[in-house]
Amino acid sequence: MNQNYQAIVQEDKEDINSNDQTFLLGGALIFFNVFVMLFVGLYWMNPVMHEFISGNPLL
């Protein structure tokens, strides 16, 4: 009985660690997505940034 309880407790600890990793990965993906959206938006709407990156003026 004691061994079964220890196995259950250890599985719960592993689930907590994987849950933390899931939140960390999800947060990183959301941050990256927002960064890309801002970059693309500024690239297409800001003539100075567009010319700096592409070398051509924004039409």
Side-chain angles (χ1 to χ4, degrees):
M1 175 98 176
N2 193 14
Q3 291 175 345
N4 291 339
Y5 178 73
Q6 287 176 350
I8 291 171
V9 170
Q10 187 166 355
E11 287 179 11
D12 287 343
K13 288 181 182 177
E14 291 173 1
D15 289 343
I16 290 171
N17 290 338
S18 66
N19 196 19
D20 291 342
Q21 290 174 353
T22 302
F23 279 119
L24 183 63
L25 182 61
L29 287 174
I30 290 171
F31 174 77
F32 180 72
N33 189 16
V34 170
F35 173 76
V36 169
M37 288 190 304
L38 287 173
F39 179 81
V40 170
L42 286 173
Y43 177 76
W44 283 112
M45 290 190 278
N46 189 346
V48 175
M49 184 175 173
H50 183 86
E51 189 170 355
F52 177 74
I53 293 173
S54 68
N56 297 327
L58 187 60
L59 299 176

